[in-house]
Amino acid sequence: MDKKKNPFNVVKAGDFSDTQINEFWVDFPADNGFDTIAKPTSTMPMIIKGGKGSGKTHLMRNYSFQLQKLRHKEQLLDGIKADGYMGCYLKLGGLNTKRFHGKKIDDETWLSIFSYYIDIWLSQIFLDNILKLSEYLSIENEQEICQEIIKLFDIEIALEKYSFSYLIEYLNDLQKDIDLKVNNCLWQELSVDIKTSPGKLIFGIPKIFASHIDDLKSIVFVYLIDELENLFPFQQKYIQTLIREKELPCSIKVGARSHGIKTYETLAANEYNKDGSEFELITLEDKIRNNKNYASFARKLCLRRLTSAGYLLDIKSEKDLDFFFEDAPYYSPTSNIEKVETGSNGDTIKKLTNQLNSSGFKNISEEICLNLECKDMPLIEKAAVYCFYNDWNKNIQKTNLPEYLIKASYNLKLEIQLYLDRPNNSRLHSVLEHYKIDFIAQLMPNQNVRYLYTGLKNIIKISDGFPRNLLTIFKDIFEYADFNGEKPFEKEKISRNSQIEGIIDATEWFINDARMTGDDGNKLKISIGRIAELFRLNRFADKPRECSLTTFSINTEKASEETLRLIEIATQWSLLLSDSKGRKDRNSKRIDKKFRINYMISPFWELPIASRGVLAMSTEMVNSIFDKNHDENYIDELKKFKKPLTPPFSLENEKQESLF
């Protein structure tokens, strides 16, 4: 095979042509597909919010008339009737919308001009779509339709010819006139003649077509307004007003970054739009991540890119894609791990010996360690030592502690044998079920720990429901594999080394890309780093507090306003993912808010890509992480957190641990 370009080079839907949007489109099975999520035929307005790379723009463009035209080709009218909708896509580009702001002109004036401009713009898109569709329609009253549309203006208008093309040209001239005056308002007085009332064109024109053309009577005309985040709050008020005042046969779907919805206020006497009343709100990455078919969707998404670039043309199923990735190493509990010694020569027993000696138990350390040794089975040995630490911690108050520790080690020696004979009956069984991956991470030589993230199954987990994350990982893995001379996606597997190099590059990109700039961005970088530090300390501790720890909960009633503000920003930028169910506090039974780090962060910090345990953070700890006013407390909170994780244990440690 000749050297080909990286098929994952372009990861942003905004950089795709309509043909590429159509070519790279992948859906879930029908009962859980994007039609079920986006509901294109619903007349209920919808706000589709999503983090960077959630696929929001790809989704919205897929429902545009341009994509319908590509899909249905010569059967366009029949296709649109079968779809039940016609989509009018408008991207609110930052360069365009930011012109309608400032320049010593008040927001109220700009709002009037901006609203008028949006109406003219959307009306052109609608009419242009109708013009392209008209060759498939039987329209005998084009002049009459145009005359009715002209009546929507507040002044008398005479066209040279009453046709759709002339009407579009007239609207285009109006738009150009606004553009010229807005662009020169610093040098010339801004004076725009607003010729129609807000919303009158964009709702009135579809209504006229539906009343005159039988083939369009059952069609929902959907305005797809993307990138709301580029608007100032006063401009967003108009979009919110369109949502509130929507008229049949129209509907509106607005796309926005999670951090980009600045207001739900409308122009209707300060009324606010409410989810479930005026619109339906969906968070796209949640819908994708929680879809039971996400893994299959992710494989199809990547395979579509590969086949489009000439790779894997004879592949029979997306499941065959796994073959091309060297998997993460697998170890059963009884397996040996390369370069990991057990017994007195291994790090696990050596460390335990030192801890016993330094805690005043030197005379019994040898006997205890001999009981816990497990030759050539480091995972079972690790589990036994973990159980011993637990026994030591729980019985710290016993006056005959040395005698008890010997007895505990002897009992664990019996548990080791029981596990080898009848695993399910042993105490070690549950420990290994929960902590096995964390134990492997502790035992593997440092340079190989990140091998745990390799293999397609794990790569899909790391992407955490964000298609762009997935494609970025693939892009970087492809580049490293190609650089390392591996000829990716031909005959041989991509090595673990190439995968890890690509994954780490992708995670570093995510950490830098998925946060805002400025002071808040710097605060978030520090805060997320501190959370990751806590989770990493836990994972590599002698006695981890929780297994697979990537989640924490907080009492929002006591956390500072600054802490809650920064956590909200972190969720908006998808560094943290919020769990709507929350977590019940063990003592008070209140429901605390629960947050998980994005798995794209995990490989950078060598954290799990799973979530089982939850760290209930004290108010003091969470404030020290997020609130600069409590910054000086972080070191003390970190010390408190570390003490229960390793011997020697004490009554003081137990009290500190109970605070969490």
Side-chain angles (χ1 to χ4, degrees), residues 310-359:
Y311 291 89
L312 310 182
L313 296 177
D314 58 348
I315 200 167
K316 295 179 180 178
S317 167
E318 74 272 6
K319 293 180 181 179
D320 296 335
L321 196 59
D322 292 64
F323 167 80
F324 295 93
F325 294 83
E326 188 176 2
D327 276 328
Y330 172 78
Y331 301 103
S332 70
T334 56
S335 296
N336 197 358
I337 298 178
E338 61 272 15
K339 299 181 181 179
V340 175
E341 294 198 50
T342 53
S344 59
N345 293 323
D347 290 341
T348 300
I349 297 299
K350 280 182 181 177
K351 193 172 187 181
L352 176 59
T353 301
N354 291 335
Q355 288 165 341
L356 287 166
N357 291 345
S358 62
S359 300

Side-chain angles (χ1 to χ4, degrees), residues 626-650:
F626 287 98
D627 191 338
K628 197 171 183 179
N629 294 323
H630 298 265
D631 190 67
E632 69 279 1
N633 298 329
Y634 177 68
I635 298 301
D636 288 338
E637 293 300 321
L638 186 64
K639 288 177 180 176
K640 289 180 187 178
F641 179 81
K642 289 168 66 174
K643 283 184 177 180
L645 302 179
T646 187
F649 305 107
S650 67

Side-chain angles (χ1 to χ4, degrees), residues 115-116 119 152-154 194-202 238:
S115 304
Y116 180 48
D119 285 6
L152 296 173
F153 287 85
D154 298 331
I194 297 175
K195 296 179 170 64
T196 183
S197 301
K200 202 169 180 180
L201 287 180
I202 62 175
Y238 183 59

Side-chain angles (χ1 to χ4, degrees), residues 590-607:
R590 70 173 180 270
I591 303 299
D592 288 344
K593 276 203 169 183
K594 192 163 66 169
F595 303 92
R596 173 171 68 76
I597 63 166
N598 194 309
Y599 289 147
M600 279 292 285
I601 296 172
S602 289
F604 186 82
W605 290 89
E606 297 176 351
L607 299 175

Side-chain angles (χ1 to χ4, degrees), residues 8 286 305 634:
F8 306 101
D286 288 349
R305 290 294 192 93
Y634 177 68

